[in-house]
Each structure stands twice: as C-alpha cells, then as structure tokens.
Amino acid sequence: MIPEIGHFALALAFAAALAQGPALYAAARADDERLAAFGRRCAYLALGAVGLAFASLAAAYVASDFSVLNVYENSHSQKPLIYKFTGTWGNHEGSMLLWALILALYGGALARQARAIPADLHRLALGTQGLIAAAFLAFMLFTSNPFERLLPAPPDGADLNPLLQDIGLALHPPFLYLGYVGFSVPFSFAVAALIRGRADSVWARLVRPWALAAWSFLTVGIALGSWWAYYELGWGGWWAWDPVENASFMPWLAGTALIHSIRVVERRDALKGWATLLAIAAFSLSLIGTFLVRSGVLTSIHAFAVDPERGVFILAILFAAVGGSLTVYALRAGSLAPTGAFAPASRETALIANNVLLAAACATVFIGTFYPLFVDVATGERISVGPPYFNMVFTPIAALAMALAAAGALMAWKRADLRALARRLAPAGAAALVAALIVAVVAEREKAAGAGWVALCVWLAGGALADLAGRVKLFGAAPGAAARRLAGLPRAAVGAALAHFGLAVFALGAAGVGLWRTEEVRLMKEGDAAHVAGYAVMLASVENTTGPNYLAERARFEARKGARETTLISERRYYPVRGMQTTEAGIRSQGGGDLYVSLGENATGEGWAVRLYFNPFVGCLWWGAGLAALGGALALSDRGRAPARAARGAAASPRAAAAEAPA
C-alpha cells in the first residue's frame, strides 16, 4: 500500500506543479494576488507530495519490500541498513526522485520569500520553477516510475552495485543535486528578469544567495565524488577528466563566473545581460550533465539509465529549457543595457576578465567532452579525448584565472590605484618567488617545472591574505584592534578571501599529485617488501574474511621510513549476489602526503598484484575544496536585511534601494 501512496503523491505533485506555472504567470500579467497565492500554495503542495513519495520509496527500501521492482533491482536483505536507505537514490528512478525532491524544496523556499521580492519578479520566477518541476515529474511518471510493482514478490533482491555501497558515494549525489538543482533558481530569476525587461542591483542581490548556495553545494558534491574515487577504486587518482566528472565541472565553472558577474551588477549596474546569460548557462549545463548521465549515451558507474525513451524525454526537456530561455534572451536582452561606468584599471574590469577566462575554460571542457560524441554520431568512428588534451588546454587558462584572481580581489571598484595595488601584492609576489626557488632546487630536474605552479598557488593564497590584512589594517594598528576589525568585517569579504585561499590550497594538492606522485607496481608474496618514496612496505599477511554481504581478502602491510612505522589494511571484496569485486585501498597520511596501497589479484599464484603510491599534498585537494565551500557559505550568510529592504523600496526607487544596501 505504501508504494501506491507514493505513486499517487507523485501524480498529485505533477498536477500541482502543472497548475503552479500558468497560475503565477497569469498573476504576474494581471497583477492578481489571489492567483499568486494559489500558485504559492501549489508550490507547497508539490513539496509535500514529493516528500511523501520520497519517504514511501525510502520506507520500501528499509523494509526490503521486493514487490517493488526498483527495490528488488537495487537492494538485498543482507545489505547494511545505512546502504538500504541510501540505495533509495543509488539507481536511476530513485535518483530522479531525489532530484524532484530537491527541486521542490527550492521551490518551497522561494515561495516563502514572496514578501521579500518584488511581486512581478517573484511570480515569474516561481512560475518558471513550477514549469521545471512539472517537466521532471512528468519524466518520472511516464518513463521512470520508481513504484512499479513486481508480483509475485521475489524472496530477495539483486543487491545494489557494490561500488555504491560506500558512505562517500552515499553523500555525493545529494550534495551534487543540491548544486545542480540549486542553479534552477538563478535560472528562473534570469528568465523572470528577461520577461519583465529589468535586471538591476535589487535583482542581483536576490539572485546572489541562491547562486552561492548552489555553488557551495556543488563544490562539496564534486569534492566528495573525487574523494570516493580516490580511496574506493584503488587506482590512486582523484580525477580522470571522465565525461561524467566533466558533467559536474562545467556548471561549477559557469556558476563561478555567475557569482562574480553578479557582484558587478550589484555595484555598477553593468554586465546585466551577461549575468542573466550565465544564470541560464549554469542550469543548462546541469541539465546537459543530467542528459549525459541518464540518457545511456555514456557507460559509467553513474549512468543508470539505458532506455532510449528516457534519453529522448530528457532531451526534450533540455531543448525546451535551453531553447526557450535562449529565445527569450535573444528577444529581451536588449532591454538590459548597462548604465554603470568604470575605468579599465578597476575591479569591474578584473571581474570581466575573470568571466572571460572561466567561460573559455568551460568551453574547453565542453568541447573535450562532446567532441567524441559528435564524431561518433556523424561518422560512426569512436575516439576518446583524454587527460593530455585537458591538461594542455585547460591548465593555462586556469593558471591565468588564478593569477588574475589574486590581483582583482585587491583592486578598488570603479578606478584602481595600480601603484598601491603593487605595494599590497609585493609580499605575495616575494613569497611566490621564494617558493619557486625552493621547489626548483629541491625537486628533481624533470619535475622542477612544478616550481611555477607552486609559485602561482602561493601568489593566490598571498593575495587572499593581503586582502584581509589590508581590510583590518594588520600592520598599522595594534593586534587587538586588527582582531576587532576582522570580527566586524562583512562576511561576504571574508568568505571571498577564504574561497580564494581554498582554491590555492586545492591547486597545490593537484600539483603535488600530478607532478610528484611516485608509483610502484609489483607482485608480492607474504614477507616480500617493496620501496616507494623512501618507504619500505612489506606484505605482512593476507587472510580471508567475511562482511555483511561480501567475502574479502584482507592484506596487512607494514611500512617503515626511518624510525616511522605504520600499518595499512587493503581489501579485495567479492559480492556474490552481484558477482562483482571492489577494492578498498589502505591509506595513511604521512607528513606531506599519503602512502597508498591497493591489493590486486593473485591470478597466477606467484603473488598478489600490489600498487603502491606516494601522493604528495593530496589532502590539500579536499581541504582546499572544503575551505572554498566554507567561504561560499560564509558569503551566503552575509545577507543581513538588504534583500528585504531593497525589495520593499524597489517599486518606489530602485536606485535608492540599491544605495541603502550595504556594500
């Protein structure tokens, strides 16, 4: 009975979303508050109904109700309870239900802000959210029903893909979807601004928190995915420029450009057309990523759907959303003419250059991801575009963007004093030069090229610290006064500096793994030793063990470097129900990096294939991503009362409302 309740709730949510869009569009056109109130109630009803549907599916998973086809195909009675629950979204139908739930949550949150947003803007944006929700709920009802019955019920299930039975990948999709779907709100605001023919500083202040939230969630989601790939797949890497990885990276790049361009709209009433286009692009790229993963075009651990009907349906949603929004943009972008002026040497110019570089970086990833698909469709020839292309094309653009970010954050609005800028950046430049010299001397000759990249990381981190030091007058006042100023700084300024510092830390981790990783692969028997990065690693023992729903070979390694000793455990697991194997790597963080051991097969009886790595600075990858996301969250929290005050004053005096809001 519970699955039938969930199915009915989905149908109810679809009906509510289908009514929400037209009602709110009509309310905006006729300025009818009763219609607007009806549309808001539809948003709340859709949220409650999708929540009930999700709870119904989760209950079926926890109870191991194998009369539900989705549960049978993706669960097993012996699976640990935590993975029974997270298995709710570890499949195509369940993941789309999670997508719909998050979309409804954003719609409900937007509906609650009716009093804080100009009426016409709110109605148009919430109406657009309703149309998006209706499209995805229709996709679920007509092609991806998660509540389809299987009668008679089998005695047990087919189990979840073992690679998904991991806490890292259990957390990865919710955060990723919070980012993907979060960009739907800036998208809806952009469409609303184009329809009404106005995008001003009030609009920018209202869009900015949603963009920051989506960007922060997406940052965490991507970082969790790379962390899972690092420790679970046994390959010692964290990023491979896989098309599915790129599908999440492209909206992140567009979203990064968006949150920077919105600042220019806020401060100088410029880049309005560009900011709306970026809002459209960020969500459109999220939809494109959904098409890649769900259509069956790609074969991947993430690609649950292989039904062409589903791919055609998602493609139709993609064409409607992207094509429709770009058509509106083409017709109405001329009404968003900029009015602000600024000098060539200014923060505005730096942010524009930043946007150009981010857009170029996104384009390189897009081309590298889709070119093989276009070639396959056009000629039938299968080619691949791998890391050499991305490293050669993307890395220089990223380096330029990082170099510019350090200077741009210290430049004044409207007109910058370049001499003062040089004085403030001098310590960062000196630190970068010293770091480059140290790396050039210490590193091996063929790897000394990393000196430039390390210098760039220090430059960016130094620029972020110089920004905060200048704001608190660190070297011109007593430490106590500087600390008080730091506590009183706008959280948006501290968040921006923290995000830039986090990016520098992340880039240092990427450089360490990419340039100075050492690797040893060999066959090892018990008692054998191998050497990597100065460590002597001995295979002490291999024993068979049993888990809740798997069998495993567990290897114990003893590693020694000087007086330092450590033990690492690596496993090869076999899941009988699925007939699949997985690898659990043994990892120990040691000073400047990770010692990483992965146990392979003993196929010939001559010993186990063992991979040993030392990954310098690899922890910086996730610490840096965490700092960047924390910076975004800190900036998000610095909303104060500005949006509400600005919205209340927008009808009477948009310029006065913008001036009233804090800088």
Side-chain angles (χ1 to χ4, degrees), residues 61 96 200 206 245 263 304 343:
Y61 266 91
M96 295 312 300
D200 49 22
L206 293 168
E245 293 173 335
R263 289 292 289 154
F304 301 123

Side-chain angles (χ1 to χ4, degrees), residues 60-454:
Y61 266 91
V62 171
S64 294
D65 183 356
F66 300 120
S67 69
V68 178
L69 178 62
N70 185 265
V71 178
Y72 164 74
E73 291 179 338
N74 299 282
S75 192
H76 191 272
S77 60
Q78 298 302 311
K79 191 169 65 173
L81 180 60
I82 180 63
Y83 300 129
K84 287 184 180 181
F85 176 72
T86 60
T88 305
W89 56 82
N91 57 87
H92 169 73
E93 293 83 359
S95 67
M96 295 312 300
L97 182 54
L98 178 64
W99 176 288
L101 175 62
I102 294 173
L103 185 59
L105 283 169
Y106 278 115
L110 181 59
R112 282 184 58 84
Q113 290 197 333
R115 294 184 179 180
I117 300 175
D120 59 337
L121 180 62
H122 182 265
R123 292 165 184 172
L124 290 170
L126 188 58
T128 305
Q129 284 290 119
L131 295 179
I132 297 170
F136 277 95
L137 288 165
F139 170 71
M140 293 185 61
L141 284 170
F142 299 129
T143 72
S144 303
N145 176 18
F147 299 104
E148 185 177 344
R149 286 287 196 177
L150 180 63
L151 298 175
D156 217 326
D159 206 1
L160 179 67
N161 187 328
L163 291 173
L164 304 180
Q165 296 184 41
D166 180 85
I167 193 62
L169 209 64
L171 297 174
H172 165 64
F175 279 99
L176 199 66
Y177 285 5
L178 283 165
Y180 274 167
V181 182
F183 283 122
S184 68
V185 183
F187 172 88
S188 296
F189 271 113
V191 172
L194 290 167
I195 293 174
R196 72 202 287 253
R198 188 170 73 254
D200 49 22
S201 60
V202 175
W203 174 86
R205 288 185 182 278
L206 293 168
V207 172
R208 187 166 174 264
W210 298 99
L212 280 169
W215 182 87
S216 299
F217 281 128
L218 189 56
T219 301
V220 173
I222 294 173
L224 283 171
S226 69
W227 176 58
W228 166 82
Y230 175 68
Y231 73 78
E232 177 67 19
L233 298 184
W235 62 310
W238 62 279
W239 190 264
W241 294 106
D242 179 89
V244 175
E245 293 173 335
N246 297 344
S248 61
F249 191 40
M250 289 186 288
W252 186 90
L253 290 168
T256 305
L258 173 63
I259 59 180
H260 286 86
S261 66
I262 286 175
R263 289 292 289 154
V264 181
V265 179
E266 283 186 80
R267 297 299 299 257
R268 286 291 169 265
D269 199 40
L271 293 189
K272 294 182 289 188
W274 178 245
T276 55
L277 183 60
L278 283 174
I280 291 170
F283 185 57
S284 298
L285 288 168
S286 297
L287 293 178
I288 290 171
T290 304
F291 171 72
L292 276 178
V293 176
R294 306 296 170 201
S295 64
V297 169
L298 298 177
T299 301
S300 164
I301 182 64
H302 305 77
F304 301 123
V306 293
D307 185 350
E309 182 183 357
R310 292 171 175 173
V312 170
F313 205 116
I314 295 178
L315 195 60
I317 295 174
L318 182 63
F319 276 126
V322 178
S325 59
L326 290 180
T327 299
V328 174
Y329 181 85
L331 295 173
R332 302 289 291 170
S335 63
L336 306 181
T339 59
F342 46 86
S346 63
R347 184 178 295 192
E348 292 90 338
T349 301
L351 289 173
I352 291 172
N354 160 281
N355 269 232
V356 171
L357 291 170
L358 286 169
C362 188
T364 63
V365 178
F366 186 91
I367 293 169
T369 303
F370 281 93
Y371 179 70
L373 300 178
F374 293 149
V375 170
D376 188 14
V377 170
T379 67
E381 181 183 359
R382 291 188 175 271
I383 65 170
S384 62
V385 175
Y389 160 80
F390 292 103
N391 293 336
M392 181 178 65
V393 179
F394 177 86
T395 302
I397 300 173
L400 284 174
M402 289 172 60
L404 181 62
L410 295 175
M411 298 178 79
W413 293 100
K414 197 170 184 178
R415 183 182 299 276
D417 184 339
L418 296 183
R419 290 184 178 179
L421 175 66
R423 287 195 298 271
R424 293 181 67 186
L425 281 173
L433 180 60
V434 170
L437 291 174
I438 292 173
V439 173
V441 171
V442 172
E444 297 175 9
R445 179 176 300 178
E446 64 272 15
K447 296 181 179 180
W453 191 259
V454 172

Side-chain angles (χ1 to χ4, degrees), residues 543-558:
E543 59 184 19
N544 295 322
T545 185
T546 303
N549 59 338
Y550 62 84
L551 307 174
E553 285 183 321
R554 177 178 295 173
R556 181 170 62 88
F557 293 87
E558 301 292 344

Side-chain angles (χ1 to χ4, degrees), residues 399-623:
L400 284 174
M402 289 172 60
L404 181 62
L410 295 175
M411 298 178 79
W413 293 100
K414 197 170 184 178
R415 183 182 299 276
D417 184 339
L418 296 183
R419 290 184 178 179
L421 175 66
R423 287 195 298 271
R424 293 181 67 186
L425 281 173
L433 180 60
V434 170
L437 291 174
I438 292 173
V439 173
V441 171
V442 172
E444 297 175 9
R445 179 176 300 178
E446 64 272 15
K447 296 181 179 180
W453 191 259
V454 172
L456 187 61
C457 297
V458 174
W459 165 259
L460 179 56
L465 295 175
D467 183 21
L468 289 180
R471 289 176 182 272
V472 302
K473 298 180 171 57
L474 181 61
F475 302 108
R484 288 192 295 273
R485 288 193 183 96
L486 179 62
L489 283 180
R491 290 191 295 276
V494 179
L498 185 60
H500 284 183
F501 188 86
L503 178 61
V505 173
F506 172 87
L508 180 62
V513 178
L515 295 171
W516 297 301
R517 180 171 74 168
T518 54
E519 176 183 357
E520 176 73 16
V521 181
R522 56 171 296 182
L523 292 176
M524 296 180 68
K525 296 180 180 180
E526 291 180 330
D528 287 352
H531 296 82
V532 60
Y535 286 91
V537 183
M538 182 183 72
L539 176 56
S541 65
V542 180
E543 59 184 19
N544 295 322
T545 185
T546 303
N549 59 338
Y550 62 84
L551 307 174
E553 285 183 321
R554 177 178 295 173
R556 181 170 62 88
F557 293 87
E558 301 292 344
R560 178 190 294 271
K561 185 176 184 180
R564 180 184 300 169
E565 296 183 7
T566 188
T567 299
L568 300 93
I569 303 296
S570 179
E571 290 185 355
R572 287 182 60 250
R573 294 179 177 177
Y574 175 70
Y575 291 77
V577 176
R578 278 273 181 167
M580 290 180 61
Q581 294 182 358
T582 65
T583 300
E584 300 291 322
I587 303 173
R588 285 290 183 274
S589 295
Q590 303 284 337
D594 282 1
L595 181 61
Y596 183 109
V597 180
S598 175
L599 181 71
E601 294 184 6
N602 185 1
T604 63
E606 298 294 324
W608 286 267
V610 177
R611 290 179 175 271
L612 302 101
Y613 303 91
F614 186 78
N615 294 319
F617 310 134
V618 67
C620 292
L621 292 167
W622 301 294
W623 282 108

